[in-house]
Short mmCIF file of all heavy atoms in Angstrom, two decimals:
data_model
loop_
_atom_site.label_atom_id
_atom_site.label_comp_id
_atom_site.label_asym_id
_atom_site.label_seq_id
_atom_site.Cartn_x
_atom_site.Cartn_y
_atom_site.Cartn_z
N ARG A 166 2.21 24.27 82.25
CA ARG A 166 1.59 23.67 81.05
C ARG A 166 1.41 24.69 79.94
O ARG A 166 1.53 24.36 78.75
CB ARG A 166 0.24 23.04 81.43
CG ARG A 166 0.40 21.80 82.27
CD ARG A 166 -0.83 21.49 83.04
NE ARG A 166 -1.15 22.56 83.99
CZ ARG A 166 -2.06 22.45 84.94
NH1 ARG A 166 -2.72 21.34 85.07
NH2 ARG A 166 -2.30 23.45 85.75
N ARG A 167 1.12 25.93 80.31
CA ARG A 167 1.00 26.97 79.29
C ARG A 167 2.35 27.19 78.61
O ARG A 167 2.43 27.38 77.40
CB ARG A 167 0.53 28.28 79.92
CG ARG A 167 -0.92 28.21 80.30
CD ARG A 167 -1.38 29.46 81.00
NE ARG A 167 -2.82 29.38 81.23
CZ ARG A 167 -3.45 29.92 82.25
NH1 ARG A 167 -2.79 30.60 83.15
NH2 ARG A 167 -4.76 29.82 82.37
N GLU A 169 4.78 24.99 78.40
CA GLU A 169 5.15 23.81 77.60
C GLU A 169 4.37 23.77 76.28
O GLU A 169 4.89 23.30 75.27
CB GLU A 169 4.92 22.55 78.42
CG GLU A 169 5.97 22.38 79.50
CD GLU A 169 5.58 21.41 80.60
OE1 GLU A 169 4.44 20.89 80.55
OE2 GLU A 169 6.40 21.18 81.49
N ALA A 170 3.14 24.26 76.34
CA ALA A 170 2.37 24.32 75.10
C ALA A 170 3.07 25.23 74.09
O ALA A 170 3.11 24.94 72.89
CB ALA A 170 0.96 24.83 75.39
N ALA A 171 3.64 26.31 74.58
CA ALA A 171 4.38 27.21 73.69
C ALA A 171 5.68 26.56 73.22
O ALA A 171 6.07 26.68 72.06
CB ALA A 171 4.68 28.53 74.40
N LEU A 172 6.30 25.84 74.14
CA LEU A 172 7.56 25.16 73.80
C LEU A 172 7.35 24.18 72.66
O LEU A 172 8.17 24.06 71.74
CB LEU A 172 8.08 24.43 75.04
CG LEU A 172 9.52 23.95 75.03
CD1 LEU A 172 10.48 25.13 74.99
CD2 LEU A 172 9.80 23.11 76.27
N LEU A 173 6.24 23.47 72.69
CA LEU A 173 5.95 22.48 71.64
C LEU A 173 5.72 23.13 70.28
O LEU A 173 5.96 22.52 69.25
CB LEU A 173 4.70 21.68 72.03
CG LEU A 173 4.92 20.53 73.01
CD1 LEU A 173 3.59 20.00 73.50
CD2 LEU A 173 5.71 19.42 72.34
N THR A 174 5.24 24.38 70.30
CA THR A 174 4.94 25.00 69.01
C THR A 174 6.16 25.62 68.35
O THR A 174 6.15 25.83 67.15
CB THR A 174 3.88 26.12 69.14
OG1 THR A 174 4.45 27.19 69.89
CG2 THR A 174 2.64 25.62 69.82
N GLY A 175 7.21 25.92 69.09
CA GLY A 175 8.34 26.56 68.42
C GLY A 175 9.54 26.79 69.31
O GLY A 175 10.34 27.68 69.04
N GLY A 176 9.71 26.01 70.37
CA GLY A 176 10.91 26.09 71.20
C GLY A 176 10.97 27.35 72.05
O GLY A 176 9.96 28.00 72.33
N GLY A 178 12.03 30.32 71.51
CA GLY A 178 11.54 31.56 70.89
C GLY A 178 10.05 31.72 71.10
O GLY A 178 9.56 32.81 71.41
N SER A 179 9.33 30.63 70.96
CA SER A 179 7.88 30.67 71.17
C SER A 179 7.55 30.98 72.62
O SER A 179 6.61 31.72 72.91
CB SER A 179 7.26 29.31 70.83
OG SER A 179 6.93 29.27 69.49
N ALA A 182 8.08 34.62 73.17
CA ALA A 182 7.04 35.42 72.50
C ALA A 182 5.71 35.31 73.24
O ALA A 182 4.96 36.29 73.35
CB ALA A 182 6.88 34.95 71.06
N MET A 183 5.40 34.13 73.77
CA MET A 183 4.14 33.95 74.48
C MET A 183 4.18 34.65 75.84
O MET A 183 3.20 35.25 76.28
CB MET A 183 3.88 32.44 74.66
CG MET A 183 2.53 32.08 75.25
SD MET A 183 2.45 32.19 77.05
CE MET A 183 3.38 30.75 77.55
N PRO A 186 4.22 39.23 76.72
CA PRO A 186 3.03 40.05 77.08
C PRO A 186 2.53 39.79 78.50
O PRO A 186 1.87 40.65 79.08
CB PRO A 186 1.97 39.60 76.06
CG PRO A 186 2.71 38.93 74.98
CD PRO A 186 3.93 38.34 75.59
N LEU A 187 2.84 38.61 79.04
CA LEU A 187 2.40 38.32 80.41
C LEU A 187 3.33 38.96 81.45
O LEU A 187 2.90 39.31 82.55
CB LEU A 187 2.37 36.80 80.64
CG LEU A 187 1.27 36.03 79.90
CD1 LEU A 187 1.46 34.53 80.07
CD2 LEU A 187 -0.10 36.43 80.42
N ARG A 278 9.02 24.92 84.90
CA ARG A 278 10.35 24.33 85.06
C ARG A 278 11.42 25.31 84.61
O ARG A 278 11.15 26.26 83.88
CB ARG A 278 10.44 23.09 84.17
CG ARG A 278 9.39 22.05 84.49
CD ARG A 278 10.06 20.88 85.10
NE ARG A 278 9.09 19.84 85.39
CZ ARG A 278 9.21 18.60 84.93
NH1 ARG A 278 10.19 18.30 84.11
NH2 ARG A 278 8.34 17.70 85.29
N LYS A 281 15.90 25.59 79.58
CA LYS A 281 17.29 25.36 79.16
C LYS A 281 17.61 26.28 77.99
O LYS A 281 16.90 26.29 76.99
CB LYS A 281 17.47 23.90 78.77
CG LYS A 281 17.37 22.98 79.97
CD LYS A 281 17.50 21.54 79.61
CE LYS A 281 17.37 20.69 80.87
NZ LYS A 281 17.17 19.28 80.56
N ARG B 70 4.64 13.27 78.49
CA ARG B 70 5.58 14.40 78.48
C ARG B 70 6.95 13.97 77.99
O ARG B 70 7.65 14.73 77.31
CB ARG B 70 5.67 14.99 79.89
CG ARG B 70 4.38 15.69 80.36
CD ARG B 70 4.41 15.97 81.85
NE ARG B 70 5.59 16.72 82.19
CZ ARG B 70 5.73 18.03 81.99
NH1 ARG B 70 4.72 18.71 81.49
NH2 ARG B 70 6.83 18.65 82.30
N ALA B 73 6.78 13.80 74.31
CA ALA B 73 6.76 15.15 73.73
C ALA B 73 8.11 15.85 73.87
O ALA B 73 8.31 16.90 73.27
CB ALA B 73 5.67 15.97 74.42
N LEU B 75 9.33 16.85 76.87
CA LEU B 75 9.29 17.76 78.01
C LEU B 75 9.96 17.15 79.25
O LEU B 75 10.15 17.83 80.25
CB LEU B 75 7.83 18.13 78.34
CG LEU B 75 7.08 18.83 77.20
CD1 LEU B 75 5.60 19.00 77.54
CD2 LEU B 75 7.70 20.18 76.88
N GLU B 76 10.27 15.87 79.17
CA GLU B 76 11.03 15.19 80.24
C GLU B 76 12.19 14.45 79.58
O GLU B 76 12.00 13.83 78.53
CB GLU B 76 10.16 14.16 80.99
CG GLU B 76 8.90 14.71 81.62
CD GLU B 76 9.15 15.37 82.95
OE1 GLU B 76 10.31 15.38 83.41
OE2 GLU B 76 8.18 15.90 83.53
N ASP B 77 13.34 14.51 80.20
CA ASP B 77 14.49 13.77 79.69
C ASP B 77 14.54 12.39 80.34
O ASP B 77 14.31 12.28 81.55
CB ASP B 77 15.79 14.52 79.99
CG ASP B 77 15.92 15.76 79.11
OD1 ASP B 77 15.43 15.72 77.97
OD2 ASP B 77 16.48 16.76 79.59
N PRO B 100 11.46 19.54 71.50
CA PRO B 100 10.02 19.24 71.45
C PRO B 100 9.35 19.72 70.16
O PRO B 100 8.52 19.01 69.58
CB PRO B 100 9.46 19.99 72.66
CG PRO B 100 10.60 20.11 73.60
CD PRO B 100 11.83 20.21 72.76
N GLN B 101 9.73 20.90 69.72
CA GLN B 101 9.04 21.49 68.57
C GLN B 101 9.39 20.80 67.25
O GLN B 101 8.78 21.06 66.22
CB GLN B 101 9.32 22.99 68.48
CG GLN B 101 10.73 23.39 68.10
CD GLN B 101 11.68 23.49 69.29
OE1 GLN B 101 11.40 22.92 70.35
NE2 GLN B 101 12.78 24.18 69.13
N LEU B 107 0.33 18.05 71.79
CA LEU B 107 -0.08 17.60 73.13
C LEU B 107 -1.28 18.42 73.60
O LEU B 107 -1.24 19.65 73.60
CB LEU B 107 1.09 17.77 74.11
CG LEU B 107 0.84 17.47 75.59
CD1 LEU B 107 0.28 16.07 75.81
CD2 LEU B 107 2.13 17.63 76.39
N PHE B 109 -3.08 19.36 76.65
CA PHE B 109 -2.78 19.33 78.09
C PHE B 109 -4.05 19.16 78.92
O PHE B 109 -5.14 19.60 78.53
CB PHE B 109 -2.11 20.64 78.51
CG PHE B 109 -0.69 20.77 78.04
CD1 PHE B 109 -0.42 21.24 76.77
CD2 PHE B 109 0.36 20.43 78.87
CE1 PHE B 109 0.89 21.38 76.33
CE2 PHE B 109 1.67 20.55 78.43
CZ PHE B 109 1.94 21.03 77.16
N GLN B 110 -3.83 18.57 80.08
CA GLN B 110 -4.90 18.47 81.06
C GLN B 110 -5.33 19.90 81.42
O GLN B 110 -4.48 20.74 81.73
CB GLN B 110 -4.35 17.78 82.30
CG GLN B 110 -5.36 17.08 83.13
CD GLN B 110 -4.69 16.26 84.24
OE1 GLN B 110 -3.49 16.07 84.26
NE2 GLN B 110 -5.49 15.76 85.13
N ALA B 113 -4.57 24.38 79.27
CA ALA B 113 -3.34 25.19 79.29
C ALA B 113 -3.35 26.24 78.18
O ALA B 113 -2.36 26.44 77.48
CB ALA B 113 -2.10 24.32 79.19
N LEU B 114 -4.47 26.92 78.05
CA LEU B 114 -4.54 27.97 77.03
C LEU B 114 -3.85 29.23 77.53
O LEU B 114 -3.75 29.46 78.73
CB LEU B 114 -6.01 28.26 76.69
CG LEU B 114 -6.74 27.10 76.01
CD1 LEU B 114 -8.23 27.40 75.91
CD2 LEU B 114 -6.16 26.82 74.63
N TRP B 115 -3.42 30.03 76.59
CA TRP B 115 -2.72 31.27 76.96
C TRP B 115 -3.77 32.34 77.28
O TRP B 115 -4.56 32.74 76.40
CB TRP B 115 -1.80 31.68 75.82
CG TRP B 115 -0.80 30.60 75.52
CD1 TRP B 115 -0.06 29.91 76.43
CD2 TRP B 115 -0.46 30.06 74.24
NE1 TRP B 115 0.73 28.98 75.79
CE2 TRP B 115 0.51 29.06 74.45
CE3 TRP B 115 -0.86 30.33 72.93
CZ2 TRP B 115 1.07 28.32 73.42
CZ3 TRP B 115 -0.28 29.61 71.90
CH2 TRP B 115 0.67 28.61 72.15
N PRO B 116 -3.77 32.82 78.52
CA PRO B 116 -4.89 33.62 78.99
C PRO B 116 -5.01 35.00 78.35
O PRO B 116 -6.07 35.61 78.38
CB PRO B 116 -4.62 33.76 80.49
CG PRO B 116 -3.16 33.57 80.63
CD PRO B 116 -2.75 32.64 79.56
N HIS B 117 -3.91 35.51 77.81
CA HIS B 117 -3.94 36.87 77.28
C HIS B 117 -4.27 36.90 75.80
O HIS B 117 -4.29 37.96 75.19
CB HIS B 117 -2.59 37.54 77.52
CG HIS B 117 -1.41 36.75 76.99
ND1 HIS B 117 -1.17 35.46 77.37
CD2 HIS B 117 -0.45 37.08 76.11
CE1 HIS B 117 -0.08 35.02 76.76
NE2 HIS B 117 0.38 35.98 75.98
N PHE B 126 -0.72 32.54 66.57
CA PHE B 126 0.59 32.46 67.24
C PHE B 126 1.32 31.18 66.82
O PHE B 126 2.50 31.20 66.48
CB PHE B 126 0.37 32.47 68.76
CG PHE B 126 1.65 32.39 69.56
CD1 PHE B 126 2.34 33.54 69.89
CD2 PHE B 126 2.15 31.17 69.98
CE1 PHE B 126 3.52 33.47 70.63
CE2 PHE B 126 3.32 31.09 70.70
CZ PHE B 126 4.01 32.25 71.04
N VAL B 127 0.59 30.07 66.82
CA VAL B 127 1.23 28.79 66.45
C VAL B 127 1.58 28.78 64.96
O VAL B 127 2.68 28.35 64.57
CB VAL B 127 0.28 27.61 66.77
CG1 VAL B 127 0.94 26.29 66.44
CG2 VAL B 127 -0.13 27.65 68.23
N ARG B 130 4.75 30.51 64.04
CA ARG B 130 5.97 29.72 64.30
C ARG B 130 6.26 28.78 63.16
O ARG B 130 7.38 28.33 62.98
CB ARG B 130 5.84 28.89 65.58
CG ARG B 130 5.39 29.61 66.80
CD ARG B 130 6.39 30.61 67.28
NE ARG B 130 5.69 31.87 67.48
CZ ARG B 130 6.25 33.04 67.69
NH1 ARG B 130 7.56 33.15 67.70
NH2 ARG B 130 5.55 34.12 67.86
N ARG B 174 -5.26 24.08 68.63
CA ARG B 174 -3.89 24.57 68.78
C ARG B 174 -2.89 23.44 68.55
O ARG B 174 -1.86 23.62 67.89
CB ARG B 174 -3.70 25.14 70.18
CG ARG B 174 -2.31 25.70 70.41
CD ARG B 174 -2.17 26.29 71.80
NE ARG B 174 -2.27 25.27 72.84
CZ ARG B 174 -2.22 25.52 74.14
NH1 ARG B 174 -2.10 26.78 74.55
NH2 ARG B 174 -2.31 24.56 75.03
#
Side-chain angles (χ1 to χ4, degrees):
Chain A
R166 289 158 298 191
R167 287 177 175 149
E169 287 162 357
L172 195 66
L173 279 169
T174 67
S179 272
M183 186 278 286
L187 290 172
R278 301 250 182 125
K281 292 178 181 166
Chain B
R70 293 166 55 78
L75 300 172
E76 303 278 359
D77 288 328
Q101 70 273 20
L107 175 56
F109 288 84
Q110 206 172 350
L114 294 171
W115 301 314
H117 54 303
F126 180 87
V127 182
R130 310 293 130 192
R174 181 179 66 182

